[in-house]
Amino acid sequence: MTQDSLIQIFRFLFFLLLQILIFSKINLFGYVNPYPYVLFVLLFPIGSSKNFLLIASFLLGLTLDIFLNTGGVHAGSSVLLAWMRENYIKFSFGLNYQYQSVKFFEKINSELISYLLLGIATHHLCMFLLEIFSLPLILSILTRTLWSTLFTFVICIGFIQLMKPTKR
């Protein structure tokens, strides 16, 4: 087992436990919830197997669904995010993606912000659509998506700052 594999297993367990034990208990204003576990999918190494990412995303979402009793919404939205991830990287980072020079932890820039916002918004929109599943409540879905996306984005930026390697 390589060091990169161990790091990914640690991230999987870290974000899973944080979401279950801490962030699933936060309910700001009665309907705004953070879901920073999406960072596992968004920060997955670029050169890795897409099939492995899809399976890991499904297992992450399924485990959350089991513990949070949410009926598959996390699994579905996590798999959708993993499937769309490569397109979002190409859109946000452009030529850097083609030359395999994307660095998530280098600095917070407009490319990283657009990538995170696209990924988080996609995940949240899918999750709330599956959770509420009612066309007359589309305004509620969009409101929850907007505020939860912003709240999750702020928390994700904080995590990225904490995970950034220090320069020596």
Side-chain angles (χ1 to χ4, degrees), residues 29-95:
F29 305 122
Y31 64 92
V32 178
N33 304 93
Y35 298 101
Y37 75 90
V38 299
L39 272 181
F40 173 77
V41 178
L42 294 171
L43 299 180
F44 202 79
I46 291 179
S48 300
S49 167
K50 186 171 183 176
N51 291 334
F52 182 73
L53 175 62
L54 288 168
I55 292 168
S57 300
F58 175 73
L59 290 175
L60 178 65
L62 182 66
T63 307
L64 283 170
D65 287 327
I66 289 169
F67 280 100
L68 302 177
N69 195 23
T70 51
V73 297
H74 291 284
S77 54
S78 295
V79 169
L80 176 69
L81 176 59
W83 185 67
M84 295 294 294
R85 175 180 175 262
E86 188 174 337
N87 295 325
Y88 292 158
I89 292 173
K90 285 179 187 176
F91 175 77
S92 297
F93 293 98
L95 288 177

Side-chain angles (χ1 to χ4, degrees), residues 155-168:
I155 290 172
C156 288
I157 291 293
F159 273 122
I160 289 173
Q161 289 291 79
L162 288 175
M163 291 189 292
K164 185 174 17 175
T166 58
K167 293 184 180 181
R168 294 177 190 202

Side-chain angles (χ1 to χ4, degrees), residues 7-147:
I7 289 171
Q8 293 311 313
I9 291 170
F10 174 75
R11 276 190 192 160
F12 181 92
L13 295 173
F14 175 74
F15 284 120
L16 179 68
L17 289 173
L18 272 180
Q19 186 65 47
I20 291 170
L21 298 175
I22 297 171
F23 291 110
S24 65
K25 309 285 190 266
I26 297 174
N27 196 6
L28 192 64
F29 305 122
Y31 64 92
V32 178
N33 304 93
Y35 298 101
Y37 75 90
V38 299
L39 272 181
F40 173 77
V41 178
L42 294 171
L43 299 180
F44 202 79
I46 291 179
S48 300
S49 167
K50 186 171 183 176
N51 291 334
F52 182 73
L53 175 62
L54 288 168
I55 292 168
S57 300
F58 175 73
L59 290 175
L60 178 65
L62 182 66
T63 307
L64 283 170
D65 287 327
I66 289 169
F67 280 100
L68 302 177
N69 195 23
T70 51
V73 297
H74 291 284
S77 54
S78 295
V79 169
L80 176 69
L81 176 59
W83 185 67
M84 295 294 294
R85 175 180 175 262
E86 188 174 337
N87 295 325
Y88 292 158
I89 292 173
K90 285 179 187 176
F91 175 77
S92 297
F93 293 98
L95 288 177
N96 288 338
Y97 173 72
Q98 290 176 348
Y99 296 115
Q100 299 290 322
S101 63
V102 174
K103 304 273 192 270
F104 293 123
F105 301 109
E106 196 170 90
K107 62 181 177 178
I108 304 297
N109 55 19
S110 61
E111 297 165 336
L112 180 64
I113 289 171
S114 69
Y115 172 62
L116 288 175
L117 284 174
L118 275 170
I120 293 169
T122 299
H123 174 271
H124 287 25
L125 182 63
C126 177
M127 188 178 67
F128 291 128
L129 280 170
L130 291 172
E131 181 182 331
I132 297 173
F133 207 69
S134 176
L135 196 55
L137 297 175
I138 193 72
L139 189 58
S140 174
I141 293 169
L142 294 175
T143 304
R144 289 182 70 182
T145 299
L146 174 70
W147 291 112

